[in-house]
Amino acid sequence: MIDDVPADRRRHWWTVLRLGVVALWLVAAGTAWWTAPRQQSYDQAEADLAAGRVVAHQWGDRWDADRRTPWFGTADLESSGRLGPLFAWRTPDGRVWWTDTTYFDQVTIIGTVHEMSYDGPGAVAFAEQLQAAGLAAGRSGVLQPIGQVVAGTGFAAAVVVIGVLLAGPAPVLGTRWFWFWLICLVPFGLGILWWLARERPWAHADSPPTGPRQHRHGALGFAIGLLAALLNSMLLLALGQLLGDWWVPRLDAG
């Protein structure tokens, strides 16, 4: 048991775990923000293709936000019929972009691809450019090859935190269930940072805390987690409108 470990060694291990969890969170959050799909114009898609900056691409007709992994997942581009009208591509810096080929200024179609396979003249014209560039027009590429790494990083952080909740010192400001729900429900893993800042679980209480113990139970944590998720959605919507998806990528990417 942790209580049988000498105090100095115990504090050392809690410090290592704390720094490790924060590092995992920073890596996952930063990578997810960098690689989140962002919208670009049809002209920019053509420019990146002409410059040889398209290293992977994918066609689709909708972004499926329901399949996002928790905390740092992004929507997947899905297709249910003809290719397009959405076209997404990844550039060498690891960033993912997408455009709606329905909107274009002018395109030229020369008949080198099967037009009925694509959704609209914009998609057909771009498919011809892909073919001319030596890229398989209908190929579905892996847009976010490190997506599984990001998801695994978030999972690793969650395992560490839940392990500390179960095996570490009893929380002071709330029950274990209180913090469990906050950690699971607060978006982007921010509940972990809140827990680390408020509970200081890495520092064993060698002397009992002064004053009455605050028993915040699981039901309160569940309610706060749901409220935080709602407020987070509203805040992201407002910031996205104000700053654009360069700074605040849309979770549905569409």
Side-chain angles (χ1 to χ4, degrees):
M1 294 295 294
I2 290 179
D3 290 342
D4 297 329
V5 179
D8 290 341
R9 185 178 178 184
R10 186 170 52 237
R11 281 191 292 268
H12 170 74
W13 280 110
W14 284 135
T15 300
V16 171
L17 283 174
R18 174 188 59 170
L19 295 177
V21 169
V22 173
L24 287 173
W25 186 91
L26 289 173
V27 168
T31 304
W33 178 83
W34 182 261
T35 61
R38 290 169 169 85
Q39 188 172 10
Q40 281 283 7
S41 66
Y42 192 99
D43 290 341
Q44 184 60 52
E46 289 184 312
D48 281 349
L49 179 61
R53 289 176 47 82
V54 176
V55 298
H57 66 276
Q58 188 173 347
W59 292 96
D61 53 29
R62 70 190 184 282
W63 291 96
D64 188 357
D66 294 335
R67 296 180 58 183
R68 292 196 313 268
T69 55
W71 291 356
F72 302 116
T74 57
D76 291 327
L77 186 58
E78 300 290 337
S79 180
S80 58
R82 295 190 296 176
L83 299 175
L86 304 184
F87 176 79
W89 70 100
R90 175 165 49 87
T91 50
D93 57 4
R95 310 204 80 164
V96 176
W97 313 94
W98 67 276
T99 190
D100 189 341
T101 59
T102 304
Y103 304 99
F104 55 85
D105 293 330
Q106 184 177 358
V107 296
T108 300
I109 297 176
I110 58 178
T112 57
V113 301
H114 184 53
E115 295 185 17
M116 295 304 297
S117 298
Y118 297 89
D119 193 332
V124 172
F126 203 87
E128 291 182 340
Q129 295 181 55
L130 285 172
Q131 188 178 71
L135 300 176
R139 180 176 60 87
S140 178
V142 179
L143 289 179
Q144 295 178 307
I146 60 176
Q148 294 298 323
V149 176
V150 174
T153 301
F155 178 76
V159 168
V160 171
V161 168
I162 292 176
V164 172
L165 273 176
L166 294 176
V172 175
L173 298 178
T175 64
R176 299 182 196 273
W177 276 111
F178 172 82
W179 287 111
F180 173 82
W181 287 118
L182 284 183
I183 289 170
C184 290
L185 295 179
V186 175
F188 307 120
L190 293 175
I192 286 181
L193 302 186
W194 188 5
W195 172 68
L196 289 172
R198 296 292 292 165
E199 279 291 348
R200 297 182 62 82
W202 60 90
H204 181 74
D206 295 316
S207 58
T210 59
R213 187 184 181 90
Q214 301 182 41
H215 293 287
R216 298 175 180 174
H217 296 284
L220 179 60
F222 185 82
I224 293 177
L226 290 181
L227 179 61
L230 176 61
L231 293 177
N232 173 79
S233 298
M234 297 172 61
L235 179 61
L236 286 182
L237 180 61
L239 289 177
Q241 293 293 331
L242 179 64
L243 302 176
D245 68 354
W246 175 268
W247 294 106
V248 187
R250 295 177 58 178
L251 295 181
D252 59 359

